[in-house]
Amino acid sequence: MRTGSTGQVLTAPAPSVRLLRGLVTGSPDPTLSEHMNRWGGLPGRRGRGLDVLEELRASGLQGRGGAWFPVSTKWEAVARRSARRPVVVANCAEGEPGSRKDSLLTTCAPHLVLDGLVLAASALGARRAFVYAPASSLPAVLSACDERNAWGLERLPIDVVESPSAFLAGQESAVVNALNGRQPAVPSFTGVVTIRERGVAGRPTLVQNAETLAHVALIGRFGAQWYREVGTEECPGTMLMTVNRAGGAFVVEVGLGDRLLEGCGLDVDEVMSSHGVLLGGYGGGWVTPNDFRELVALEGQVRRVGATLGTGVVAVLPRHVCPLAEMADVVRYMQGEGAGQCGPCVFGLAEIATRLEGLAYHGRGGGHAVQRILEICNTIEGRGACRHPDGVIRFVRSGLGVFGQEAGLHQRHGPCDRVGAARVLPIPTQATIRRVMAHP
Amino acid sequence: MTRRSLRVVVDPTKCEGRGVCAEMLPELITLDGWGFPVLDEGGSVSSEIVEHAVRTVRACPRQALHLVEHSS
């Protein structure tokens, strides 16, 4: 519990249910009055109360947009370029097909995200803020902004901009390009000048994921010590995860360091009878049922088994589907969602997709398809302007590891009889605009 | 003590695989199967080839190469 600067006592939420408090049952109420009832007003603004940046540093919060980068380090990097006033952006784009957590927050608890954005702006001295959100979340964001204006809460002008429904729309340099009006909104090369130096309107720019900002909103209220009551020393707090299974998807909040099996509400038999579990989405990695059973929600440990917590996507692949066909479809989708800018990604992902389709559908793997796919992975790793190819590589390498026996059988005997089973991994159908690159 | 050194980086969004760089700076740059540059040792430029590296960066027809200073 902590007393806010206005004198009211804020009640800290119970461990493990933080962001999802009030959202789990019934129809959640996204209004500002309910938000105030639930969380109280935001203390520590305009120099009063606690130092948000100091609390963030002490909290050890890591970004929930997929990279798990220390949030205070990112804020400090933007603050260092303070010759010009920075711009702050709430990134609600969530291009990952298996993820629902950011849209859940943005539509059901928009004020939590906006509070985090406002705290970022005040800590960094920003006078411009953006919410970048998909069409489906815009009504909730816009009415939340209207409420705040009506309450006289906001001095900060917040612009709401629609994000395209493309996988890469939420990549941070793509976000900057979108806000700068560049079409299509694809990533930039940031190897020489980063968006922290020069981003929206040429200003130092902080792009922060919606869930991360929601955590910031709570740290701003209850402080670092409260935040650390859940999780481990190295990885404190909770995370939202979207669990995808044959029956549909749901969002859970998991304490970091907790076992994923129980945290995700999964049945041990369902997991143990599966082909494997995908962690971190289509740029994440596959783990075996045995590994998943013991795995805890810590990025370091998940990395050690070849996956990532990433954006918190979990998908259990049941036995009745063909894992090679599922992988081939995802890689083809990811290839199509590439920005089409970088040669190694354009040609590498296309060849991986074709070889996987050969294995899964046509019995055209030849004797060395798996070996060739792994060679391409090694060739293109780290050679894109963004991490898109690297994510696909992790997905493919780990998949060929976990489904190694299946891959070997497909290589020798052609497609299996499960190839026609309905797909479990969601593949959005969409046409994205991109540059077309001709072979040199 | 930090030592400053030079590194060649490729902007892959500009590169179209013309291959000039690999011809001019084979000590550091080779081409992959599709004709795009692969940098050895993370692009680190040793003192003997600094001049070659500068010339190569200038010669890229797509201006896709950069020489950056980094401290290690």
Side-chain angles (χ1 to χ4, degrees):
Chain A
M1 224 144 43
R2 188 178 193 103
T3 309
S5 61
T6 46
Q8 83 275 31
V9 175
L10 307 175
T11 315
S16 289
V17 185
R18 292 179 165 178
L19 303 182
L20 293 188
R21 191 167 105 169
L23 308 184
V24 182
T25 49
S27 52
D29 179 358
T31 60
L32 184 53
S33 57
E34 173 55 27
H35 174 72
M36 288 298 195
N37 284 339
R38 196 181 292 154
W39 300 112
L42 201 55
R45 298 190 37 201
R46 298 185 198 101
R48 291 175 291 134
L50 77 178
D51 179 342
V52 175
L53 194 47
E54 186 49 51
E55 290 296 321
L56 258 191
R57 206 177 288 130
S59 75
L61 176 67
Q62 294 148 316
R64 300 292 195 267
W68 291 82
F69 190 80
V71 174
S72 63
T73 308
K74 194 163 164 176
W75 287 30
E76 281 155 6
V78 174
R80 260 203 304 281
R81 328 274 174 193
S82 54
R84 298 188 70 190
R85 285 198 180 271
V87 171
V88 293
V89 183
N91 185 5
C92 312
E94 199 171 42
E96 184 72 52
S99 185
R100 297 281 178 280
K101 51 115 180 164
D102 289 324
S103 58
L104 176 82
L105 275 182
T106 311
T107 54
C108 298
H111 291 289
L112 217 44
V113 179
L114 292 174
D115 281 352
L117 184 65
V118 166
L119 285 172
S122 85
L124 300 175
R127 288 190 182 153
R128 273 194 91 180
F130 290 88
V131 177
Y132 177 72
S136 54
S137 302
L138 288 182
V141 175
L142 288 169
S143 68
C145 289
D146 287 346
E147 278 182 292
R148 293 167 91 94
N149 289 332
W151 282 45
L153 214 59
E154 228 54 85
R155 277 194 203 164
L156 178 74
I158 297 176
D159 287 317
V160 180
V161 176
E162 183 180 338
S163 62
S165 59
F167 186 88
L168 282 175
Q171 197 277 347
E172 64 177 10
S173 63
V175 174
V176 167
N177 284 330
L179 297 179
N180 282 335
R182 185 178 143 188
Q183 291 292 335
V186 292
S188 298
F189 173 64
T190 52
V192 177
V193 181
T194 66
I195 66 160
R196 290 165 207 181
E197 298 161 74
R198 206 183 302 156
V200 176
R203 293 174 177 275
T205 300
L206 177 80
V207 175
Q208 202 82 72
N209 159 265
E211 182 194 341
T212 310
L213 289 172
H215 286 293
V216 170
L218 297 188
I219 292 168
R221 285 180 166 81
F222 309 119
Q225 206 183 338
W226 165 81
Y227 183 74
R228 285 184 166 281
E229 281 169 14
V230 177
T232 67
E233 177 68 29
E234 210 179 314
C235 266
T238 62
M239 71 177 291
L240 297 183
M241 303 192 82
T242 314
V243 183
N244 294 262
R245 35 208 306 232
F250 56 90
V251 176
V252 292
E253 185 164 11
V254 180
L256 295 178
D258 290 357
R259 286 221 311 183
L260 286 165
L261 183 69
E262 289 84 7
C264 294
L266 288 167
D267 177 54
V268 68
D269 294 331
E270 179 186 354
V271 169
M272 293 313 288
S273 66
S274 71
H275 283 297
V277 180
L278 177 65
L279 276 173
Y282 296 168
W286 292 96
V287 295
T288 62
N290 259 326
D291 279 345
F292 183 80
R293 188 166 63 171
E294 300 304 326
L295 207 54
V296 294
L298 291 174
E299 179 64 0
Q301 300 218 9
V302 177
R303 291 250 176 169
R304 270 195 281 283
V305 294
T308 173
L309 288 171
T311 52
V313 172
V314 177
V316 183
L317 200 65
R319 275 278 159 199
H320 69 268
V321 303
C322 169
L324 275 304
E326 294 275 349
M327 278 179 63
D329 289 3
V330 167
V331 173
R332 180 59 76 194
Y333 162 75
M334 291 293 273
Q335 179 252 327
E337 288 295 304
Q341 302 184 110
C342 308
C345 182
V346 168
F347 297 108
L349 297 196
E351 189 172 340
I352 295 173
T354 303
R355 298 243 173 204
L356 279 172
E357 286 164 354
L359 276 175
Y361 296 117
H362 311 301
R364 276 207 308 263
H368 52 271
V370 171
Q371 192 196 331
R372 176 62 190 149
I373 291 169
L374 293 173
E375 279 168 16
I376 302 168
C377 289
N378 294 338
T379 302
I380 68 175
E381 188 169 24
R383 292 175 60 216
C386 71
R387 295 275 175 206
H388 189 66
D390 301 354
V392 179
I393 288 167
R394 177 163 45 204
F395 179 92
V396 169
R397 274 185 187 144
S398 59
L400 291 177
V402 171
F403 314 130
Q405 207 179 352
E406 292 273 348
L409 287 171
H410 280 76
Q411 199 163 252
R412 283 192 296 279
H413 306 297
C416 65
D417 55 7
R418 294 154 302 167
V419 67
R423 291 285 167 272
V424 169
L425 301 177
I427 306 286
T429 46
Q430 54 194 210
T432 48
I433 314 151
R434 72 190 82 87
R435 240 176 78 186
V436 176
M437 180 178 276
H439 200 292
Chain B
M1 205 181 91
T2 58
R3 203 170 61 89
R4 284 182 176 281
S5 58
L6 289 173
R7 208 157 55 90
V8 174
V9 294
V10 184
D11 175 349
T13 67
K14 289 221 175 101
C15 177
E16 285 180 350
R18 305 279 184 93
V20 176
C21 55
E23 269 186 39
M24 291 183 69
L25 201 61
E27 303 92 328
L28 198 64
I29 301 173
T30 51
L31 300 180
D32 67 15
W34 303 288
F36 293 94
V38 179
L39 273 61
D40 295 340
E41 317 206 357
S44 259
V45 178
S46 61
S47 53
E48 307 89 70
I49 59 165
V50 170
E51 274 180 44
H52 294 293
V54 170
R55 267 204 299 276
T56 307
V57 166
R58 287 199 186 125
C60 174
R62 294 281 307 152
Q63 299 189 359
L65 295 179
H66 300 266
L67 209 51
V68 295
E69 208 175 19
H70 69 134
S71 39
S72 54

